Amino acid sequence: AKEPVRVLVTGAAGQIGYALVPMIARGVMLGTDQPVILHMLDIPPAAEALNGVKMELVDAAFPLLKGVVATTDVVEACTGVNVAVMVGGFPRKEGMERKDVMSKNVSIYKSQASALEKHAAANCKVLVVANPANTNALILKEFAPSISEKNITCLTRLDHNRALGQISERLSVQVSDVKNVIIWGNHSSSQYPDVNHATVKTPAGEKPVRELVKDDEWLNAEFITTVQQRGAAIIKARKLSSALSAASSACDHIRDWVLGTPEGTWVSMGVYSDGSYNVPAGLIYSFPVTCQNGEWKIVQGLSIDEFSRKKLDLTADELSEEKALAYSCLS
Ligand code: NAX
């Protein structure tokens, strides 16, 4: 039998946490043959709720779940973890300045970075979900210098999956037959959902999405804004932000990273830019990646037209600005 993998979920008493921990315990993230030990962290005001989640995990009698640590102590939470899913953060509340929210999250990610660096297992893989996800991941990277930048990522898979979903609905095809959309840039409304290399599996072979949709006007405008604004549309409908889709996408992100992407398929992940596609190095930026043997690699050589170029640059500019704002909170 396999040794259990320790998975940390921060903000585990929140709504994404509530959807995510049972998925992990069922093997959705790491495979149905992989035992897991869940480490759940939240802050003292949520301690009782967190304990309630632990009680439910016990009650669900998940065969793969070999242990649960529920704590408000960041050192205990981080000790020995192999995978860290960072969902906890400070939300933007009405009337709050962007700088104030940034400052709260910078201080959270700075201290959690140190705890992970000192106490996590070697080669721990980190996924930041909490917003501003890209910049929180960058802060985490800066303050955990001994964790390889290859191991620090942020979630844009939800946006990627939303793009697949929109194409599937539009063409009335199975979502599993659509692939290779790309989310470029920030997990914010400046992101660029790109279908220029996306395809659909048809009885006559793989066809480009553009050829099948036959409506560039829709693809270049409404499709993009629908994906960019989907989070807001969910809040409007549910009066709560996306939770089950965020949790499911976080599982997709880690699963593909650890177990690999299928041949010929890429996914979107926020990763540390090496300057690929002339995106400034040193930002956490969402790129198309393939994964093998537990490592992601940015897909190279895709053609970028003028329309796309502008959009890649726009979201990079926003991230550079966020980075500067985050750094200004440090001093
Ligand atoms: P909730 O407010 O329901 O849960 C957040 C939890 O984090 C709370 O239980 C809170 O007590 C805890 N927390 C706060 N500070 C903490 C700290 N320092 N250490 C540990 N835990 C802490 O929010 P939820 O709806 O679950 O969303 C969580 C985060 O995901 C938010 O930042 C949200 O903006 C972000 N999202 C990111 C998405 C993405 O695709 N990257 C999509 C969904 C979601 O909007």
Side-chain angles (χ1 to χ4, degrees):
K2 289 184 165 179
E3 279 292 303
V5 167
R6 290 180 185 270
V7 183
L8 167 66
V9 177
T10 72
Q15 50 146 4
I16 294 176
Y18 191 73
L20 179 59
V21 291
M23 292 182 188
I24 298 171
R26 273 204 181 276
V28 175
M29 177 179 276
L30 293 166
T32 49
D33 62 343
Q34 177 59 64
V36 292
I37 297 174
L38 272 168
H39 287 220
M40 304 194 295
L41 175 72
D42 213 294
I43 50 177
E48 204 182 342
L50 185 67
N51 196 44
V53 177
K54 179 179 177 176
M55 287 159 67
E56 286 206 65
L57 286 169
V58 171
D59 295 349
F62 295 110
L64 287 172
L65 187 59
K66 302 303 177 192
V68 182
V69 177
T71 181
T72 57
D73 179 71
V74 62
V75 171
E76 187 187 5
C78 292
T79 298
V81 298
N82 309 100
V83 173
V85 187
M86 315 300 285
V87 185
F90 195 90
R92 182 156 185 185
K93 293 180 188 147
E94 210 148 329
M96 255 183 107
E97 293 286 337
R98 221 160 72 93
K99 170 143 193 177
D100 297 331
V101 191
M102 184 65 85
S103 162
K104 299 260 191 212
N105 284 298
V106 163
S107 83
I108 292 171
Y109 278 83
K110 195 176 154 185
S111 71
Q112 295 186 353
S114 312
L116 280 173
E117 172 163 58
K118 290 199 195 92
H119 304 287
N123 211 27
C124 174
K125 288 181 158 58
V126 182
L127 165 61
V128 178
V129 176
N131 282 315
N134 302 54
T135 301
N136 286 342
L138 187 65
I139 293 297
L140 198 152
K141 189 217 154 268
E142 297 292 288
F143 288 93
S146 70
I147 300 181
S148 161
E149 65 211 30
K150 281 263 161 200
N151 281 342
I152 297 174
T153 64
C154 84
L155 187 72
T156 55
R157 183 63 176 269
L158 174 54
D159 308 293
H160 180 101
N161 288 344
R162 284 166 171 166
L164 295 177
Q166 289 302 309
I167 299 297
S168 139
E169 297 259 285
R170 171 78 185 203
L171 292 172
S172 300
V173 297
Q174 296 295 320
V175 73
S176 53
D177 289 337
V178 187
K179 68 174 189 179
N180 296 352
V181 297
I182 304 167
I183 302 299
W184 298 97
N186 199 0
H187 168 69
S188 77
S189 54
S190 77
Q191 66 178 248
Y192 171 43
D194 176 359
V195 293
N196 289 335
H197 308 277
T199 60
V200 178
K201 193 165 114 195
T202 75
E206 270 177 15
K207 300 271 184 209
V209 162
R210 280 202 185 268
E211 192 181 308
L212 294 172
V213 171
K214 295 190 189 80
D215 185 349
D216 284 336
E217 207 180 306
W218 181 78
L219 284 171
N220 294 345
E222 197 184 327
F223 163 76
I224 293 175
T225 48
T226 300
V227 175
Q228 289 171 334
Q229 305 291 336
R230 189 69 162 180
I234 301 286
I235 294 175
K236 190 156 177 276
R238 239 171 56 86
K239 318 285 178 266
L240 286 169
S241 56
S242 332
L244 87 85
S245 54
S248 179
S249 302
C251 290
D252 289 345
H253 177 113
I254 298 287
R255 191 199 55 235
D256 286 346
W257 188 4
V258 173
L259 301 174
T261 43
E263 184 69 41
T265 300
W266 65 64
V267 294
S268 302
M269 281 170 64
V271 299
Y272 195 64
S273 170
D274 60 355
S276 291
Y277 296 98
N278 287 319
V279 169
L283 296 175
I284 300 270
Y285 189 98
S286 179
F287 285 99
V289 301
T290 55
C291 304
Q292 215 182 0
N293 302 322
E295 291 203 7
W296 53 265
K297 216 166 64 198
I298 296 173
V299 176
Q300 298 294 333
L302 298 172
S303 59
I304 306 292
D305 63 15
E306 211 178 307
F307 177 86
S308 299
R309 186 70 252 168
K310 286 200 184 109
K311 297 207 168 327
L312 261 74
D313 292 344
L314 198 78
T315 188
D317 289 347
E318 185 183 62
L319 281 168
S320 298
E321 218 179 280
E322 271 188 25
K323 180 178 178 175
L325 183 64
Y327 274 79
S328 77
C329 296
L330 289 167
S331 41

PDB file of all heavy atoms in Angstrom, residues 10-17 41-43 46 87-91 108 112 128-131 133 155-156 158-159 162 187 241-242 246, ligand 1:
ATOM      1  N   THR A  10      -5.391  25.528   3.805  1.00  0.00           N
ATOM      2  CA  THR A  10      -5.581  26.674   4.699  1.00  0.00           C
ATOM      3  C   THR A  10      -6.950  27.283   4.405  1.00  0.00           C
ATOM      4  O   THR A  10      -7.497  27.098   3.318  1.00  0.00           O
ATOM      5  CB  THR A  10      -4.484  27.741   4.523  1.00  0.00           C
ATOM      6  OG1 THR A  10      -4.686  28.408   3.273  1.00  0.00           O
ATOM      7  CG2 THR A  10      -3.076  27.142   4.567  1.00  0.00           C
ATOM      8  N   GLY A  11      -7.498  27.973   5.372  1.00  0.00           N
ATOM      9  CA  GLY A  11      -8.851  28.516   5.199  1.00  0.00           C
ATOM     10  C   GLY A  11      -9.868  27.398   5.096  1.00  0.00           C
ATOM     11  O   GLY A  11     -10.909  27.522   4.457  1.00  0.00           O
ATOM     12  N   ALA A  12      -9.572  26.280   5.765  1.00  0.00           N
ATOM     13  CA  ALA A  12     -10.367  25.061   5.578  1.00  0.00           C
ATOM     14  C   ALA A  12     -11.772  25.164   6.156  1.00  0.00           C
ATOM     15  O   ALA A  12     -12.638  24.356   5.812  1.00  0.00           O
ATOM     16  CB  ALA A  12      -9.627  23.867   6.178  1.00  0.00           C
ATOM     17  N   ALA A  13     -12.021  26.147   7.021  1.00  0.00           N
ATOM     18  CA  ALA A  13     -13.379  26.311   7.555  1.00  0.00           C
ATOM     19  C   ALA A  13     -14.251  27.162   6.630  1.00  0.00           C
ATOM     20  O   ALA A  13     -15.442  27.336   6.876  1.00  0.00           O
ATOM     21  CB  ALA A  13     -13.324  26.938   8.944  1.00  0.00           C
ATOM     22  N   GLY A  14     -13.669  27.680   5.562  1.00  0.00           N
ATOM     23  CA  GLY A  14     -14.424  28.533   4.633  1.00  0.00           C
ATOM     24  C   GLY A  14     -15.192  27.704   3.623  1.00  0.00           C
ATOM     25  O   GLY A  14     -15.196  26.476   3.667  1.00  0.00           O
ATOM     26  N   GLN A  15     -15.820  28.416   2.670  1.00  0.00           N
ATOM     27  CA  GLN A  15     -16.710  27.667   1.773  1.00  0.00           C
ATOM     28  C   GLN A  15     -15.963  26.852   0.715  1.00  0.00           C
ATOM     29  O   GLN A  15     -16.399  25.741   0.382  1.00  0.00           O
ATOM     30  CB  GLN A  15     -17.820  28.532   1.207  1.00  0.00           C
ATOM     31  CG  GLN A  15     -17.422  29.835   0.588  1.00  0.00           C
ATOM     32  CD  GLN A  15     -18.335  30.153  -0.581  1.00  0.00           C
ATOM     33  OE1 GLN A  15     -19.295  29.428  -0.852  1.00  0.00           O
ATOM     34  NE2 GLN A  15     -18.026  31.208  -1.306  1.00  0.00           N
ATOM     35  N   ILE A  16     -14.856  27.321   0.215  1.00  0.00           N
ATOM     36  CA  ILE A  16     -14.093  26.463  -0.707  1.00  0.00           C
ATOM     37  C   ILE A  16     -13.536  25.268   0.060  1.00  0.00           C
ATOM     38  O   ILE A  16     -13.603  24.121  -0.406  1.00  0.00           O
ATOM     39  CB  ILE A  16     -12.947  27.235  -1.403  1.00  0.00           C
ATOM     40  CG1 ILE A  16     -13.531  28.309  -2.330  1.00  0.00           C
ATOM     41  CG2 ILE A  16     -12.051  26.280  -2.208  1.00  0.00           C
ATOM     42  CD1 ILE A  16     -12.501  29.201  -2.992  1.00  0.00           C
ATOM     43  N   GLY A  17     -13.021  25.538   1.255  1.00  0.00           N
ATOM     44  CA  GLY A  17     -12.491  24.455   2.079  1.00  0.00           C
ATOM     45  C   GLY A  17     -13.511  23.353   2.309  1.00  0.00           C
ATOM     46  O   GLY A  17     -13.193  22.165   2.204  1.00  0.00           O
ATOM     47  N   LEU A  41      -5.960  24.235   8.331  1.00  0.00           N
ATOM     48  CA  LEU A  41      -5.620  25.430   9.114  1.00  0.00           C
ATOM     49  C   LEU A  41      -6.708  26.480   8.952  1.00  0.00           C
ATOM     50  O   LEU A  41      -7.205  26.704   7.842  1.00  0.00           O
ATOM     51  CB  LEU A  41      -4.283  26.012   8.620  1.00  0.00           C
ATOM     52  CG  LEU A  41      -3.841  27.335   9.273  1.00  0.00           C
ATOM     53  CD1 LEU A  41      -3.389  27.121  10.717  1.00  0.00           C
ATOM     54  CD2 LEU A  41      -2.717  28.000   8.471  1.00  0.00           C
ATOM     55  N   ASP A  42      -7.059  27.109  10.049  1.00  0.00           N
ATOM     56  CA  ASP A  42      -7.871  28.329   9.945  1.00  0.00           C
ATOM     57  C   ASP A  42      -7.468  29.243  11.103  1.00  0.00           C
ATOM     58  O   ASP A  42      -6.552  28.909  11.864  1.00  0.00           O
ATOM     59  CB  ASP A  42      -9.377  28.031   9.896  1.00  0.00           C
ATOM     60  CG  ASP A  42     -10.115  29.058   9.022  1.00  0.00           C
ATOM     61  OD1 ASP A  42     -10.142  30.248   9.410  1.00  0.00           O
ATOM     62  OD2 ASP A  42     -10.638  28.691   7.952  1.00  0.00           O
ATOM     63  N   ILE A  43      -8.130  30.363  11.246  1.00  0.00           N
ATOM     64  CA  ILE A  43      -7.764  31.317  12.297  1.00  0.00           C
ATOM     65  C   ILE A  43      -8.662  31.099  13.520  1.00  0.00           C
ATOM     66  O   ILE A  43      -9.748  30.524  13.390  1.00  0.00           O
ATOM     67  CB  ILE A  43      -7.848  32.774  11.779  1.00  0.00           C
ATOM     68  CG1 ILE A  43      -9.187  33.030  11.087  1.00  0.00           C
ATOM     69  CG2 ILE A  43      -6.695  33.051  10.818  1.00  0.00           C
ATOM     70  CD1 ILE A  43      -9.375  34.461  10.605  1.00  0.00           C
ATOM     71  N   ALA A  46     -12.452  30.992  13.677  1.00  0.00           N
ATOM     72  CA  ALA A  46     -13.102  29.907  12.920  1.00  0.00           C
ATOM     73  C   ALA A  46     -12.777  28.532  13.494  1.00  0.00           C
ATOM     74  O   ALA A  46     -13.128  27.507  12.902  1.00  0.00           O
ATOM     75  CB  ALA A  46     -12.662  29.983  11.449  1.00  0.00           C
ATOM     76  N   VAL A  87      -5.907  28.426   0.654  1.00  0.00           N
ATOM     77  CA  VAL A  87      -7.225  28.995   0.349  1.00  0.00           C
ATOM     78  C   VAL A  87      -7.546  30.143   1.305  1.00  0.00           C
ATOM     79  O   VAL A  87      -8.397  30.983   1.035  1.00  0.00           O
ATOM     80  CB  VAL A  87      -8.317  27.889   0.445  1.00  0.00           C
ATOM     81  CG1 VAL A  87      -9.671  28.427   0.024  1.00  0.00           C
ATOM     82  CG2 VAL A  87      -7.951  26.673  -0.408  1.00  0.00           C
ATOM     83  N   GLY A  88      -6.847  30.178   2.427  1.00  0.00           N
ATOM     84  CA  GLY A  88      -7.124  31.199   3.433  1.00  0.00           C
ATOM     85  C   GLY A  88      -6.527  32.543   3.042  1.00  0.00           C
ATOM     86  O   GLY A  88      -5.416  32.628   2.537  1.00  0.00           O
ATOM     87  N   GLY A  89      -7.277  33.580   3.310  1.00  0.00           N
ATOM     88  CA  GLY A  89      -6.774  34.914   3.016  1.00  0.00           C
ATOM     89  C   GLY A  89      -7.718  35.953   3.556  1.00  0.00           C
ATOM     90  O   GLY A  89      -8.732  35.609   4.179  1.00  0.00           O
ATOM     91  N   PHE A  90      -7.379  37.192   3.314  1.00  0.00           N
ATOM     92  CA  PHE A  90      -8.227  38.279   3.791  1.00  0.00           C
ATOM     93  C   PHE A  90      -9.065  38.790   2.621  1.00  0.00           C
ATOM     94  O   PHE A  90      -8.533  39.281   1.637  1.00  0.00           O
ATOM     95  CB  PHE A  90      -7.371  39.401   4.374  1.00  0.00           C
ATOM     96  CG  PHE A  90      -8.185  40.359   5.200  1.00  0.00           C
ATOM     97  CD1 PHE A  90      -8.355  40.145   6.566  1.00  0.00           C
ATOM     98  CD2 PHE A  90      -8.808  41.449   4.608  1.00  0.00           C
ATOM     99  CE1 PHE A  90      -9.137  41.009   7.321  1.00  0.00           C
ATOM    100  CE2 PHE A  90      -9.589  42.322   5.363  1.00  0.00           C
ATOM    101  CZ  PHE A  90      -9.749  42.093   6.725  1.00  0.00           C
ATOM    102  N   PRO A  91     -10.380  38.681   2.703  1.00  0.00           N
ATOM    103  CA  PRO A  91     -11.224  39.082   1.578  1.00  0.00           C
ATOM    104  C   PRO A  91     -11.369  40.593   1.486  1.00  0.00           C
ATOM    105  O   PRO A  91     -11.265  41.294   2.491  1.00  0.00           O
ATOM    106  CB  PRO A  91     -12.564  38.435   1.898  1.00  0.00           C
ATOM    107  CG  PRO A  91     -12.603  38.360   3.390  1.00  0.00           C
ATOM    108  CD  PRO A  91     -11.180  38.198   3.849  1.00  0.00           C
ATOM    109  N   ILE A 108      -0.075  37.869   5.700  1.00  0.00           N
ATOM    110  CA  ILE A 108      -0.448  36.448   5.857  1.00  0.00           C
ATOM    111  C   ILE A 108       0.511  35.565   5.048  1.00  0.00           C
ATOM    112  O   ILE A 108       1.062  34.581   5.560  1.00  0.00           O
ATOM    113  CB  ILE A 108      -1.906  36.204   5.384  1.00  0.00           C
ATOM    114  CG1 ILE A 108      -2.910  36.890   6.322  1.00  0.00           C
ATOM    115  CG2 ILE A 108      -2.196  34.698   5.281  1.00  0.00           C
ATOM    116  CD1 ILE A 108      -4.355  36.879   5.823  1.00  0.00           C
ATOM    117  N   GLN A 112       3.118  32.652   6.354  1.00  0.00           N
ATOM    118  CA  GLN A 112       2.869  31.256   5.978  1.00  0.00           C
ATOM    119  C   GLN A 112       3.996  30.722   5.099  1.00  0.00           C
ATOM    120  O   GLN A 112       4.312  29.519   5.142  1.00  0.00           O
ATOM    121  CB  GLN A 112       1.478  31.107   5.353  1.00  0.00           C
ATOM    122  CG  GLN A 112       0.405  31.445   6.426  1.00  0.00           C
ATOM    123  CD  GLN A 112      -1.018  31.205   6.020  1.00  0.00           C
ATOM    124  OE1 GLN A 112      -1.319  30.894   4.871  1.00  0.00           O
ATOM    125  NE2 GLN A 112      -1.936  31.356   6.968  1.00  0.00           N
ATOM    126  N   VAL A 128      -1.626  28.338  -4.599  1.00  0.00           N
ATOM    127  CA  VAL A 128      -2.323  29.449  -3.946  1.00  0.00           C
ATOM    128  C   VAL A 128      -3.655  29.692  -4.659  1.00  0.00           C
ATOM    129  O   VAL A 128      -3.686  29.895  -5.882  1.00  0.00           O
ATOM    130  CB  VAL A 128      -1.476  30.733  -3.946  1.00  0.00           C
ATOM    131  CG1 VAL A 128      -2.246  31.881  -3.300  1.00  0.00           C
ATOM    132  CG2 VAL A 128      -0.156  30.503  -3.215  1.00  0.00           C
ATOM    133  N   VAL A 129      -4.721  29.657  -3.880  1.00  0.00           N
ATOM    134  CA  VAL A 129      -6.070  29.902  -4.411  1.00  0.00           C
ATOM    135  C   VAL A 129      -6.556  31.291  -3.995  1.00  0.00           C
ATOM    136  O   VAL A 129      -7.214  32.000  -4.746  1.00  0.00           O
ATOM    137  CB  VAL A 129      -7.050  28.815  -3.903  1.00  0.00           C
ATOM    138  CG1 VAL A 129      -8.482  29.103  -4.349  1.00  0.00           C
ATOM    139  CG2 VAL A 129      -6.611  27.426  -4.376  1.00  0.00           C
ATOM    140  N   ALA A 130      -6.215  31.688  -2.772  1.00  0.00           N
ATOM    141  CA  ALA A 130      -6.740  32.938  -2.203  1.00  0.00           C
ATOM    142  C   ALA A 130      -6.304  34.156  -3.016  1.00  0.00           C
ATOM    143  O   ALA A 130      -5.150  34.259  -3.438  1.00  0.00           O
ATOM    144  CB  ALA A 130      -6.266  33.088  -0.766  1.00  0.00           C
ATOM    145  N   ASN A 131      -7.223  35.061  -3.196  1.00  0.00           N
ATOM    146  CA  ASN A 131      -6.942  36.269  -3.977  1.00  0.00           C
ATOM    147  C   ASN A 131      -6.261  37.347  -3.155  1.00  0.00           C
ATOM    148  O   ASN A 131      -6.505  37.428  -1.954  1.00  0.00           O
ATOM    149  CB  ASN A 131      -8.270  36.811  -4.532  1.00  0.00           C
ATOM    150  CG  ASN A 131      -8.703  35.989  -5.725  1.00  0.00           C
ATOM    151  OD1 ASN A 131      -7.890  35.676  -6.592  1.00  0.00           O
ATOM    152  ND2 ASN A 131      -9.972  35.632  -5.747  1.00  0.00           N
ATOM    153  N   ALA A 133      -4.549  35.894  -6.105  1.00  0.00           N
ATOM    154  CA  ALA A 133      -3.848  34.614  -6.105  1.00  0.00           C
ATOM    155  C   ALA A 133      -2.418  34.721  -6.664  1.00  0.00           C
ATOM    156  O   ALA A 133      -1.470  34.205  -6.053  1.00  0.00           O
ATOM    157  CB  ALA A 133      -4.658  33.588  -6.885  1.00  0.00           C
ATOM    158  N   LEU A 155      -3.809  29.299  -8.776  1.00  0.00           N
ATOM    159  CA  LEU A 155      -4.938  28.677  -9.484  1.00  0.00           C
ATOM    160  C   LEU A 155      -5.521  29.582 -10.573  1.00  0.00           C
ATOM    161  O   LEU A 155      -6.097  30.629 -10.274  1.00  0.00           O
ATOM    162  CB  LEU A 155      -6.052  28.329  -8.488  1.00  0.00           C
ATOM    163  CG  LEU A 155      -7.211  27.514  -9.089  1.00  0.00           C
ATOM    164  CD1 LEU A 155      -6.781  26.086  -9.373  1.00  0.00           C
ATOM    165  CD2 LEU A 155      -8.427  27.507  -8.168  1.00  0.00           C
ATOM    166  N   THR A 156      -5.390  29.154 -11.834  1.00  0.00           N
ATOM    167  CA  THR A 156      -6.180  29.747 -12.918  1.00  0.00           C
ATOM    168  C   THR A 156      -6.926  28.640 -13.660  1.00  0.00           C
ATOM    169  O   THR A 156      -7.539  28.878 -14.685  1.00  0.00           O
ATOM    170  CB  THR A 156      -5.316  30.552 -13.914  1.00  0.00           C
ATOM    171  OG1 THR A 156      -4.271  29.706 -14.407  1.00  0.00           O
ATOM    172  CG2 THR A 156      -4.717  31.787 -13.261  1.00  0.00           C
ATOM    173  N   LEU A 158      -9.582  27.189 -12.711  1.00  0.00           N
ATOM    174  CA  LEU A 158     -11.019  27.448 -12.723  1.00  0.00           C
ATOM    175  C   LEU A 158     -11.382  28.274 -13.959  1.00  0.00           C
ATOM    176  O   LEU A 158     -12.360  27.982 -14.645  1.00  0.00           O
ATOM    177  CB  LEU A 158     -11.443  28.164 -11.430  1.00  0.00           C
ATOM    178  CG  LEU A 158     -12.904  28.624 -11.355  1.00  0.00           C
ATOM    179  CD1 LEU A 158     -13.879  27.496 -11.619  1.00  0.00           C
ATOM    180  CD2 LEU A 158     -13.187  29.275  -9.997  1.00  0.00           C
ATOM    181  N   ASP A 159     -10.578  29.274 -14.265  1.00  0.00           N
ATOM    182  CA  ASP A 159     -10.843  30.100 -15.452  1.00  0.00           C
ATOM    183  C   ASP A 159     -10.710  29.252 -16.725  1.00  0.00           C
ATOM    184  O   ASP A 159     -11.495  29.375 -17.666  1.00  0.00           O
ATOM    185  CB  ASP A 159      -9.863  31.277 -15.475  1.00  0.00           C
ATOM    186  CG  ASP A 159      -9.870  32.025 -14.154  1.00  0.00           C
ATOM    187  OD1 ASP A 159     -10.891  32.636 -13.826  1.00  0.00           O
ATOM    188  OD2 ASP A 159      -8.854  31.956 -13.426  1.00  0.00           O
ATOM    189  N   ARG A 162     -13.710  27.129 -16.973  1.00  0.00           N
ATOM    190  CA  ARG A 162     -14.850  27.958 -17.384  1.00  0.00           C
ATOM    191  C   ARG A 162     -14.828  28.173 -18.900  1.00  0.00           C
ATOM    192  O   ARG A 162     -15.869  28.146 -19.564  1.00  0.00           O
ATOM    193  CB  ARG A 162     -14.787  29.315 -16.688  1.00  0.00           C
ATOM    194  CG  ARG A 162     -15.210  29.278 -15.219  1.00  0.00           C
ATOM    195  CD  ARG A 162     -14.813  30.560 -14.501  1.00  0.00           C
ATOM    196  NE  ARG A 162     -15.380  30.626 -13.161  1.00  0.00           N
ATOM    197  CZ  ARG A 162     -14.980  31.490 -12.232  1.00  0.00           C
ATOM    198  NH1 ARG A 162     -13.998  32.355 -12.491  1.00  0.00           N
ATOM    199  NH2 ARG A 162     -15.552  31.489 -11.044  1.00  0.00           N
ATOM    200  N   HIS A 187      -5.301  35.991 -12.445  1.00  0.00           N
ATOM    201  CA  HIS A 187      -6.631  35.506 -12.094  1.00  0.00           C
ATOM    202  C   HIS A 187      -7.456  36.708 -11.641  1.00  0.00           C
ATOM    203  O   HIS A 187      -7.675  36.942 -10.465  1.00  0.00           O
ATOM    204  CB  HIS A 187      -6.583  34.452 -10.982  1.00  0.00           C
ATOM    205  CG  HIS A 187      -7.950  34.161 -10.427  1.00  0.00           C
ATOM    206  ND1 HIS A 187      -8.915  33.516 -11.149  1.00  0.00           N
ATOM    207  CD2 HIS A 187      -8.530  34.480  -9.245  1.00  0.00           C
ATOM    208  CE1 HIS A 187     -10.028  33.451 -10.436  1.00  0.00           C
ATOM    209  NE2 HIS A 187      -9.821  34.029  -9.274  1.00  0.00           N
ATOM    210  N   SER A 241     -19.517  33.423  -3.448  1.00  0.00           N
ATOM    211  CA  SER A 241     -18.618  33.222  -4.579  1.00  0.00           C
ATOM    212  C   SER A 241     -18.437  31.732  -4.880  1.00  0.00           C
ATOM    213  O   SER A 241     -18.824  30.872  -4.091  1.00  0.00           O
ATOM    214  CB  SER A 241     -17.283  33.915  -4.315  1.00  0.00           C
ATOM    215  OG  SER A 241     -16.731  33.463  -3.119  1.00  0.00           O
ATOM    216  N   SER A 242     -17.891  31.463  -6.054  1.00  0.00           N
ATOM    217  CA  SER A 242     -17.703  30.088  -6.543  1.00  0.00           C
ATOM    218  C   SER A 242     -17.012  29.255  -5.488  1.00  0.00           C
ATOM    219  O   SER A 242     -15.995  29.669  -4.943  1.00  0.00           O
ATOM    220  CB  SER A 242     -16.812  30.057  -7.778  1.00  0.00           C
ATOM    221  OG  SER A 242     -16.890  31.234  -8.505  1.00  0.00           O
ATOM    222  N   ALA A 246     -14.407  25.988  -7.769  1.00  0.00           N
ATOM    223  CA  ALA A 246     -13.045  26.346  -7.364  1.00  0.00           C
ATOM    224  C   ALA A 246     -12.354  25.136  -6.743  1.00  0.00           C
ATOM    225  O   ALA A 246     -11.198  24.817  -7.058  1.00  0.00           O
ATOM    226  CB  ALA A 246     -13.075  27.508  -6.371  1.00  0.00           C
TER     227      ALA A 246
HETATM  228  P1  NAX B   1     -14.256  32.122   2.834  1.00  0.00           P
HETATM  229  O1  NAX B   1     -14.246  33.481   3.409  1.00  0.00           O
HETATM  230  O2  NAX B   1     -15.488  31.296   2.891  1.00  0.00           O
HETATM  231  O3  NAX B   1     -13.085  31.259   3.523  1.00  0.00           O
HETATM  232  C1  NAX B   1     -11.820  31.758   3.762  1.00  0.00           C
HETATM  233  C2  NAX B   1     -11.325  31.125   5.037  1.00  0.00           C
HETATM  234  O4  NAX B   1      -9.971  31.542   5.245  1.00  0.00           O
HETATM  235  C3  NAX B   1     -12.114  31.541   6.275  1.00  0.00           C
HETATM  236  O5  NAX B   1     -12.507  30.398   6.999  1.00  0.00           O
HETATM  237  C4  NAX B   1     -11.102  32.386   7.059  1.00  0.00           C
HETATM  238  O6  NAX B   1     -11.287  32.285   8.469  1.00  0.00           O
HETATM  239  C5  NAX B   1      -9.793  31.745   6.621  1.00  0.00           C
HETATM  240  N1  NAX B   1      -8.605  32.560   6.856  1.00  0.00           N
HETATM  241  C6  NAX B   1      -8.474  33.908   6.870  1.00  0.00           C
HETATM  242  N2  NAX B   1      -7.226  34.262   7.174  1.00  0.00           N
HETATM  243  C7  NAX B   1      -6.538  33.124   7.340  1.00  0.00           C
HETATM  244  C8  NAX B   1      -5.212  32.843   7.692  1.00  0.00           C
HETATM  245  N3  NAX B   1      -4.326  33.829   7.920  1.00  0.00           N
HETATM  246  N4  NAX B   1      -4.815  31.554   7.789  1.00  0.00           N
HETATM  247  C9  NAX B   1      -5.700  30.554   7.593  1.00  0.00           C
HETATM  248  N5  NAX B   1      -6.986  30.763   7.274  1.00  0.00           N
HETATM  249  C10 NAX B   1      -7.398  32.031   7.152  1.00  0.00           C
HETATM  250  O7  NAX B   1     -13.748  32.278   1.334  1.00  0.00           O
HETATM  251  P2  NAX B   1     -13.842  31.238   0.122  1.00  0.00           P
HETATM  252  O8  NAX B   1     -15.071  31.494  -0.629  1.00  0.00           O
HETATM  253  O9  NAX B   1     -13.571  29.879   0.636  1.00  0.00           O
HETATM  254  O10 NAX B   1     -12.632  31.757  -0.798  1.00  0.00           O
HETATM  255  C11 NAX B   1     -11.301  31.626  -0.371  1.00  0.00           C
HETATM  256  C12 NAX B   1     -10.369  32.421  -1.265  1.00  0.00           C
HETATM  257  O11 NAX B   1     -10.384  31.909  -2.586  1.00  0.00           O
HETATM  258  C13 NAX B   1     -10.730  33.895  -1.385  1.00  0.00           C
HETATM  259  O12 NAX B   1      -9.544  34.660  -1.291  1.00  0.00           O
HETATM  260  C14 NAX B   1     -11.291  33.988  -2.785  1.00  0.00           C
HETATM  261  O13 NAX B   1     -11.164  35.278  -3.307  1.00  0.00           O
HETATM  262  C15 NAX B   1     -10.448  32.978  -3.504  1.00  0.00           C
HETATM  263  N6  NAX B   1     -10.937  32.460  -4.788  1.00  0.00           N
HETATM  264  C16 NAX B   1     -10.035  32.186  -5.752  1.00  0.00           C
HETATM  265  C17 NAX B   1     -10.366  31.581  -6.945  1.00  0.00           C
HETATM  266  C18 NAX B   1      -9.343  31.248  -7.958  1.00  0.00           C
HETATM  267  O14 NAX B   1      -9.720  30.751  -9.014  1.00  0.00           O
HETATM  268  N7  NAX B   1      -8.059  31.494  -7.760  1.00  0.00           N
HETATM  269  C19 NAX B   1     -11.775  31.275  -7.255  1.00  0.00           C
HETATM  270  C20 NAX B   1     -12.653  31.198  -6.059  1.00  0.00           C
HETATM  271  C21 NAX B   1     -12.357  32.179  -4.954  1.00  0.00           C
HETATM  272  O15 NAX B   1     -12.991  33.381  -5.254  1.00  0.00           O
END
